[in-house]
Amino acid sequence: MARTLTFHIFRYNPQDADDAPHMDTFVLDETESMTLFIALNRIREEQDASLQFDFCCRAGVCGSCAMVVNGRPTLACHTKTADYPAEITLLPLPFFKLVGDLSVDTGTWFREMYQRVESWIHTDIEFDSNEQEARMENDVANAIYELDRCIECGCCVAACGTARMRQDFLGAVALNRIARFIVDPRDKRSDAEYFHIIGNDQGIFGCMGLLACEDVCPKELPLQDQLGYLRRKAALTAIGRKGPKNPQLP
Amino acid sequence: MLTFYTDLLCIGAGLAGERCAVEAAGAGFEVVCLSLVPARRSHSCCAQGGMQAALGNCAMGEGDCPDIHFQDTVKGSDWGADQEVAWLFAEAAPVEMRRLAHWGVPWNRVEPGVHTYYKGGKPFEKEELEENRGLIHARAFGGTAKWRTCYASDGTGHSVLYTMDNRAAQLGVQVHDRTEVISLIHDDGNCLGAVARSLRTGELVVYMARATLIASGGFGRIYRNSTNAVINDGGAHIAALDTGVVPLGNMEAVQFHPTGIVPTDILVTEGCRGDGGTLLDKDLHRFMPDYEPEKAELASRDVVSRRMTEHMRKGKGVPSPYGDHLWLDIRHLGEKHIRTKLREVDEICQYFLGIDPVKSLIPVRPTQHYSMGGIRTNKDGAAYGLSGLFSAGESACWDMHGFNRLGGNSLAETVVAGGIVGKKIVEFLKGSEVSFPTGIVREQVTKDRERIDALIKGEHGHENVYDVREAMFDVLEYAAGIYRNGDDLERGVGELQEIHERANRIGLKTNGLGANPELALALKMPGMVRLALCVTYGALMRTESRGSHTREDYPERNDRDWLSRTLATWKEGASLPNLTYEDASPVYTLPPGDRGYGGGKIIPRDAAKEDK
Ligand SMILES: Cc1cc2nc3c(=O)[nH]c(=O)nc-3n(C[C@H](O)[C@H](O)[C@H](O)COP(=O)(O)OP(=O)(O)OC[C@H]3O[C@@H](n4cnc5c(N)ncnc54)[C@H](O)[C@@H]3O)c2cc1C
Ligand code: SF4
Ligand code: SF4
Ligand code: FES
C-alpha cells in the first residue's frame, strides 16, 4: 500500500486561445480502493480546478467516463488504480470531438447514429390503452435485453481501425443496434430495409473483423457474434434468400 | 447571443422530461430538452430494481389492483402524501407500463410452470399460470403487499430510458445536451423560459418558451455521501427558488438507503438483505437483532438506516480513510446464489472494491438516496407561483411520496407523471399566447453575466469553491442526516448562514474559459447552500418524526400539528427561507393510521391541542 502515483494527463482547452495540446503531470498518494473517479476528482479539487473530465453515475452504468488509460479505452469510474503501475497515462477517447482535456463529445455522434439506424420500433399498430399488453416469450425478451445493454460509452468505436480511417463508419455499436431490432418481433422492418442502412462500406462491409471492439466493450456485449451474423445475413439477403437465425435467440 | 424559441422547454432529459416531451411532440408542438449530459446518461438510466404497477400478472401479484397500490403508497408516505395524486398515479401506472412495452421495453415476461423464488433467504415454490404466459412479470420490493415491480433484468432504468429517448428522437424532439440552466426568465406572474450556459463553450444561451418544465431529477449532491449521479446537484431547483415566488415543498424529507458501498457510495441492492445478508460491526458482531429483535435487517429502509447510525455513534463503526462504516455479510449465501441472483452486487464488489463478496465482507454505510421534496406543483404538475411553469419526476413535489417513497415507485412516477403532466401542458399550450418582452430577457442575462464576470475577476472575494462545499457537507452531515435534533439543527442553520455569506465571496483560481468546471460549481454554490438551508431550517421547524424525518427530541408522529406540507420560498437578499404550510392532502380516502412497520407513537389528528 501507500504508493505514490504519477498521472500524465492530456491537456487542451480549445476555447482558450493561449492554450496548446500538451501533457501535465500530477502526483497523488494512493488510498485504499482508489478508482480513477476518486483520483481525478482529488486532482481537480486539490491541484488544478480547471481539469475537465466526465463522470456521471460513477457506477459503470451510464457510459460517461470512457477514456484511454495506459493505451486502452475503458470506463474510468470502474478502473482501480491498484490494478495499474504507479505511472498512469490518461488520454481522451480518439475519434470523437474534443470538448477539453479528457472530455469528448460522444452525445452528438451517438444521436446522429441512432437517427441513421432509426433506432426505434417501426410498426403500424396503434397503442390501445384499454387492451392488455401484447404477449412476448420471456426468452425473446431476454435476447433483446442482452443486445440492449450497450451504454454508448464509445470504447468500441475508439478502438476500431476502420472508424479511424473513415469518419462515416457506423461502428460495431450501430451494427449491434440493428441486430437488437432484428431480434425484436415488434419491429416490422424487412431484412431488405435493415440492409439498406448497413449493407455498405459505412456499415457491415467496412468492418475488418479484427474485433478490437469486442475486446474493449465494458459491458461484454457479444459484438463478434452479431457482426458475423449480420455479414452472413446480408449476403444471403442480397441473393434473395432468408438469412440465418440470430445466435442470441433461443 | 444565441436565442432559441420553442413551445415547450424541458429542463432535463431523463425519463420524466422526455415523457412530457413525447406527449407534447405527439400533439404537434415543438419541444427542446436541455440536459447536462447526453439524454441517455441521465440518472434514470441507473435504476436497476424496477417500477411498480398493479398488473397482477404473476403468481405473487395475484389479485393486485390500483387500490392496493394506492394504500401501500399512502402508508409508505407516512400519510404525508397527497392522496388524490397517489390515486391518479396508482390508476395510470399499469397503462404506462403497457405503453412502454409497445414502444420497445424488453420487460421480463411470465413463464408458466413451477418456479423457485426466495423470501427472507428461504426458497419457496409457486406456479405461474399458462393463461398469463408472455405477460409482464413482476418482482418483490419493500413495503408492498403484492409483487408488482415490473423489471427488465437488472437494467430497468437503462432499458426504459433508451426506449423513451428513441421515441423522442422519432418524434423530432431536440435535445441540447451539455447545456446547464442557471436561471429562469419570468415577469410578474409568468415563466418565459431560461438562461443556460453551454458546457462546451461556456457561452450563455437564451431559451424562450411558451411553457417550461423542470424535470431535473433530485438534488442529493448537496450531501457528501449520496447514491445519486454527480450531476444531481439541484441546479434547476435553485433557478426556481431564485424567482422568489416558486415554493419548494417538503425539503426536509430526504431518504437514506442503508447500503451504499464505501468509498464511492454506489448502491448495493436491498435484495442482499432480503435474501438473508446480515450487518456486522467492527467486532464482527451482528447488531441489528439487538435493536429490532423481530425484523432485524429486514426492517424498513428508514429504520435500518437509523439503527446503523445509532450503532456507529456508539463507536462500533469500522474506521477507514473515508470515515466509519459497517460490514454487509452475504458470504453464507454461497457462491452460486451470489454469482447468479446477486450478479450485479458481485460485479460492483469486483469492479469497485476489488473484493470477492463470496469470500469478503462488503463495507457499507447509510447514504443519501432520494429527494422527496422539490418544486411544489398541483396535481396537474403546474408549479405554484408562476403560470407556464411545470415540474415532474424527482425534481417535483407532486407529492405522491410524502415523507418516504417506496422502492420502485419513483421510476414509475417519472413516466406516469410525465404522461399526466404532459397532457396538461398540451392543454395549456393550446390555450395560451405569450409575448416575450426583450427588456426582461436582457435584464436576466445581464445579471447572470455579471455574476460570471465577478467570479472570474474575484470581485467579491477569493473563497475557494471546494472549501465552501466541504463546509456545507459537514453541516448537513451532523445536522440534517438520518437523526436530527433541535440543538444540532439550530447550530446547523446558523453555520449554513455563515457559509452562505462565504459562498457569495467565492473567487476562481482558474481563468474560467470554456466549459470550465470550477466556474460551473461556483455559479451554483450559493444556491446549493440555500437548498441546504431549506432542508435544515425546514427540519428544525418540523417538531415531529414522520417517515424519513426523525427528530430525537420529538419521536412521535404528530398528526395533530404536522399533517402538513412545508413550503419554502426565498426572497432575494434574504438569509433564510420563508416557510409556510398547507394541508398534506385535500382528501383522506385512507384516514391516517399506523403504517404497520417501523412503528412509533402517533399523536392523533383529533388529540386535544396543547397550550403553546
Ligand atoms: C442508484 C439508484 C437506483 C435507483 N433505483 C430505482 C429503482 O429501482 N426503482 C425506482 O423506482 N427508482 C429508483 N431510483 C430513483 C429513480 O431512479 C429516480 O428518482 C428517477 O430516475 C428520476 O428521474 P427524473 O426523470 O426525474 O430525473 P433524471 O433521470 O435524474 O434526469 C434529470 C435530467 O435533468 C438534467 N438536468 C439537471 N439539472 C439541470 C440543469 N441545471 N440544466 C439542464 N438540465 C439539467 C439532467 O442532465 C438530466 O437529463 C434509483 C435511484 C438511484 C440513485
Ligand atoms: S471488428 Fe469491425 S467494428 Fe470491430 S473494431 Fe474491428 S473493424 Fe471495427
Ligand atoms: S457496444 Fe460496448 S463498447 Fe460499444 S458503445 Fe456499447 S457498451 Fe460501449
Ligand atoms: S461515470 Fe457512468 S459509466 Fe463511468
Side-chain angles (χ1 to χ4, degrees):
Chain A
M1 241 5 246
R3 289 193 301 172
T4 303
L5 303 176
T6 306
F7 291 90
H8 304 285
I9 299 180
F10 175 85
R11 302 301 304 274
Y12 179 49
N13 181 354
Q15 305 297 323
D16 182 351
D18 297 332
D19 200 12
H22 62 283
M23 298 296 287
D24 272 352
T25 299
F26 300 94
V27 176
L28 210 59
D29 288 332
E30 190 173 35
T31 47
E32 210 177 304
S33 304
M34 187 184 243
T35 60
L36 286 182
F37 169 72
I38 297 172
L40 283 169
N41 275 289
R42 267 187 55 195
I43 292 173
R44 177 147 88 192
E45 286 165 28
E46 295 163 13
Q47 304 188 29
D48 186 340
S50 68
L51 183 62
Q52 291 185 50
F53 49 77
D54 294 323
F55 287 98
C56 185
C57 70
R58 55 81 183 90
V61 286
C62 77
S64 293
C65 63
M67 59 182 70
V68 179
V69 183
N70 282 2
R72 189 185 164 84
T74 191
L75 298 180
C77 69
H78 77 190
T79 300
K80 292 182 296 293
T81 54
D83 296 340
Y84 281 79
E87 302 240 345
I88 299 177
T89 302
L90 302 177
L91 299 170
L93 278 193
F95 182 78
F96 299 99
K97 189 170 174 223
L98 185 77
V99 174
D101 301 341
L102 299 173
S103 171
V104 295
D105 184 0
T106 48
T108 305
W109 189 85
F110 275 101
R111 201 163 168 97
E112 275 169 22
M113 181 280 279
Y114 56 80
Q115 294 280 6
R116 270 167 82 187
V117 305
E118 300 189 7
S119 166
W120 49 81
I121 301 278
H122 291 54
T123 181
D124 46 19
I125 301 171
E126 287 278 331
F127 176 71
D128 183 346
S129 58
N130 298 313
E131 285 286 316
Q132 206 171 36
E133 62 271 25
R135 291 170 195 256
M136 181 184 272
E137 283 301 312
N138 198 40
D139 285 344
V140 176
N142 282 332
I144 299 169
Y145 178 76
E146 271 314 291
L147 302 181
D148 208 35
R149 284 167 42 242
C150 165
I151 55 174
E152 300 191 347
C153 64
C155 287
C156 57
V157 201
C160 171
T162 307
R164 214 158 288 180
M165 288 181 309
R166 49 183 316 155
Q167 271 290 321
D168 61 355
F169 183 54
L170 278 163
V173 56
L175 300 171
N176 175 71
R177 184 63 48 84
I178 287 284
R180 179 240 177 272
F181 283 98
I182 295 178
V183 297
D184 194 328
R186 292 168 294 196
D187 194 325
K188 305 296 183 207
R189 276 179 278 186
S190 67
D191 287 349
E193 283 173 285
Y194 290 124
F195 289 102
H196 182 69
I197 305 172
I198 55 167
N200 49 34
D201 283 351
Q202 288 106 52
I204 197 71
F205 299 120
C207 165
M208 301 179 296
L210 299 175
L211 299 174
C213 51
E214 178 158 319
D215 285 348
V216 298
C217 176
K219 287 287 150 184
E220 296 174 4
L221 286 162
L223 298 175
Q224 175 174 14
D225 282 358
Q226 296 308 313
L227 292 169
Y229 156 73
L230 288 175
R231 199 192 299 273
R232 277 168 56 218
K233 195 169 160 99
L236 288 168
T237 305
I239 56 171
R241 279 179 40 203
K242 211 158 166 41
K245 196 172 111 173
N246 191 297
Q248 206 61 44
L249 281 170
Chain B
M1 158 126 24
L2 206 50
T3 305
F4 293 91
Y5 292 86
T6 183
D7 293 320
L8 172 61
L9 176 70
C10 294
I11 303 170
L15 273 176
E18 289 209 322
R19 181 66 188 87
C20 284
V22 160
E23 201 62 34
F29 292 102
E30 198 183 312
V31 188
V32 177
C33 293
L34 308 183
S35 174
L36 303 174
V37 290
R40 296 169 180 230
R41 310 227 195 281
S42 300
H43 194 52
S44 294
C45 80
C46 301
Q48 293 168 328
M51 41 219 288
Q52 287 200 46
L55 289 161
N57 293 331
C58 69
M60 294 297 289
E62 212 180 283
D64 201 9
C65 62
D67 199 40
I68 307 179
H69 189 183
F70 164 80
Q71 289 179 32
D72 286 346
T73 303
V74 172
K75 283 183 199 162
S77 80
D78 225 354
W79 276 270
D82 179 326
Q83 297 198 7
E84 271 189 295
V85 168
W87 175 250
L88 281 177
F89 161 73
E91 201 187 17
V95 176
E96 287 300 326
M97 298 312 127
R98 292 178 176 138
R99 197 191 311 271
L100 290 172
H102 184 74
W103 285 344
V105 173
W107 293 119
N108 278 56
R109 305 293 180 134
V110 175
E111 288 182 85
V114 177
H115 292 261
T116 306
Y117 296 123
Y118 286 82
K119 196 173 188 179
K122 292 200 185 66
F124 66 94
E125 291 190 339
K126 198 86 190 167
E127 184 176 0
E128 299 293 353
L129 300 178
E130 179 61 39
E131 68 194 56
N132 290 335
R133 175 188 283 272
L135 297 178
I136 299 171
H137 195 36
R139 57 162 58 137
F141 246 75
T144 66
K146 304 275 180 187
W147 287 21
R148 75 165 74 87
T149 306
C150 310
Y151 63 104
S153 295
D154 55 358
T156 310
H158 170 91
S159 277
V160 176
L161 182 61
Y162 272 49
T163 300
M164 192 67 76
D165 192 43
N166 283 341
R167 179 78 187 158
Q170 183 185 3
L171 293 173
V173 171
Q174 293 181 59
V175 178
H176 295 188
D177 65 11
R178 289 185 186 267
T179 303
E180 175 160 37
V181 164
I182 56 172
S183 65
L184 292 180
I185 303 169
H186 64 102
D187 62 16
D188 282 337
N190 304 295
C191 184
L192 306 169
V195 181
R197 177 172 169 263
S198 163
L199 300 182
R200 288 188 174 81
T201 62
E203 294 292 315
L204 291 187
V205 189
V206 167
Y207 290 88
M208 309 296 311
R210 292 167 57 211
T212 303
L213 170 81
I214 296 180
S216 57
F219 54 90
R221 285 287 163 177
I222 64 171
Y223 284 84
R224 177 180 287 125
N225 304 319
S226 170
T227 62
N228 286 193
V230 296
I231 57 167
N232 290 6
D233 51 18
H237 290 84
I238 296 167
L241 190 64
D242 286 353
T243 62
V245 292
V246 175
L248 304 182
N250 276 353
M251 293 294 279
E252 64 270 33
V254 178
Q255 183 171 74
F256 292 81
H257 197 292
T259 54
I261 62 167
V262 182
T264 36
D265 298 285
I266 296 166
L267 187 73
V268 292
T269 174
E270 217 166 300
C272 292
R273 283 169 294 131
D275 292 356
T278 53
L279 292 165
L280 308 179
D281 64 15
K282 69 170 186 192
D283 307 320
L284 302 188
H285 168 65
R286 183 176 171 214
F287 59 92
M288 275 307 293
D290 303 345
Y291 296 99
E292 300 281 332
E294 258 180 46
K295 291 222 151 183
E297 282 86 358
L298 294 177
S300 59
R301 266 183 201 179
D302 49 339
V303 174
V304 178
S305 297
R306 280 197 276 277
R307 294 309 191 184
M308 290 169 75
T309 310
E310 191 178 344
H311 202 60
M312 286 195 282
R313 281 184 179 177
K314 290 182 185 162
K316 296 292 184 182
V318 186
S320 85
Y322 305 98
D324 282 3
H325 65 74
L326 293 160
W327 299 115
L328 174 65
D329 186 5
I330 57 172
R331 295 173 300 182
H332 51 286
L333 301 182
E335 174 152 14
K336 184 155 170 269
H337 185 98
I338 293 172
R339 303 267 195 256
T340 55
K341 305 269 183 215
L342 297 171
R343 171 177 123 182
E344 158 218 324
V345 176
D346 189 25
E347 275 178 20
I348 289 173
C349 290
Q350 311 263 9
Y351 270 136
F352 294 95
L353 297 170
I355 62 163
D356 180 354
V358 174
K359 302 195 193 96
S360 306
L361 299 170
I362 309 170
V364 295
R365 66 180 163 213
T367 296
Q368 191 286 340
H369 182 58
Y370 186 80
S371 318
M372 270 80 71
I375 292 149
R376 177 64 187 143
T377 71
N378 65 14
K379 65 181 173 189
D380 297 340
Y384 288 14
L386 284 180
S387 166
L389 181 64
F390 297 81
S391 183
E394 192 172 338
S395 61
C397 179
W398 188 36
D399 201 5
M400 53 168 280
H401 303 302
F403 275 77
N404 176 58
R405 75 107 181 152
L406 295 180
N409 251 0
S410 69
L411 210 56
E413 177 194 13
T414 61
V415 293
V416 174
I420 292 172
V421 176
K423 278 203 185 61
K424 294 292 170 186
I425 291 174
V426 167
E427 278 173 27
F428 175 85
L429 285 171
K430 282 182 176 156
S432 87
E433 255 339 300
V434 285
S435 57
F436 299 118
T438 49
I440 287 177
V441 180
R442 206 175 326 115
E443 212 177 289
Q444 187 58 51
V445 172
T446 308
K447 209 164 153 185
D448 289 326
R449 191 161 277 153
E450 280 170 1
R451 280 177 62 209
I452 292 174
D453 289 345
L455 283 167
I456 293 176
K457 292 191 196 122
E459 269 172 21
H460 300 309
H462 297 281
E463 284 282 358
N464 176 330
V465 67
Y466 296 108
D467 293 345
V468 173
R469 193 178 62 170
E470 289 301 313
M472 174 186 76
F473 284 161
D474 287 342
V475 175
L476 285 175
E477 197 162 291
Y478 80 73
I482 292 168
Y483 279 110
R484 299 151 178 203
N485 65 68
D487 291 344
D488 286 343
L489 284 166
E490 208 165 312
R491 180 157 75 97
V493 168
E495 287 185 4
L496 282 172
Q497 285 179 299
E498 284 163 30
I499 294 166
H500 190 225
E501 295 279 296
R502 282 175 64 193
N504 287 325
R505 295 195 301 267
I506 288 169
L508 297 193
K509 290 190 290 183
T510 59
N511 61 16
L513 290 176
N516 189 288
E518 189 193 18
L519 175 58
L521 182 61
L523 267 173
K524 64 195 153 208
M525 202 57 236
M528 286 172 79
V529 183
R530 286 195 281 280
L531 295 182
L533 270 163
C534 289
V535 172
T536 312
Y537 190 51
L540 172 65
M541 300 319 273
R542 184 172 284 272
T543 47
E544 66 153 357
S545 295
R546 183 183 299 274
S548 67
H549 171 70
T550 310
R551 284 285 299 259
E552 290 167 295
D553 43 354
Y554 294 94
E556 319 67 24
R557 189 181 96 199
N558 184 344
D559 288 349
R560 180 190 60 208
D561 303 317
W562 289 106
L563 206 51
S564 61
R565 181 176 304 107
T566 310
L567 299 178
T569 47
W570 199 294
K571 296 280 169 245
E572 195 172 344
S575 64
L576 271 184
N578 180 35
L579 301 187
T580 56
Y581 296 89
E582 65 177 6
D583 288 345
S585 183
V587 291
Y588 283 94
T589 316
L590 196 66
D594 187 13
R595 284 158 99 193
Y597 52 83
K601 251 187 81 184
I602 299 173
I603 300 176
R605 218 172 4 161
D606 52 7
K609 293 260 174 204
E610 267 168 35
D611 293 329
K612 283 198 179 163

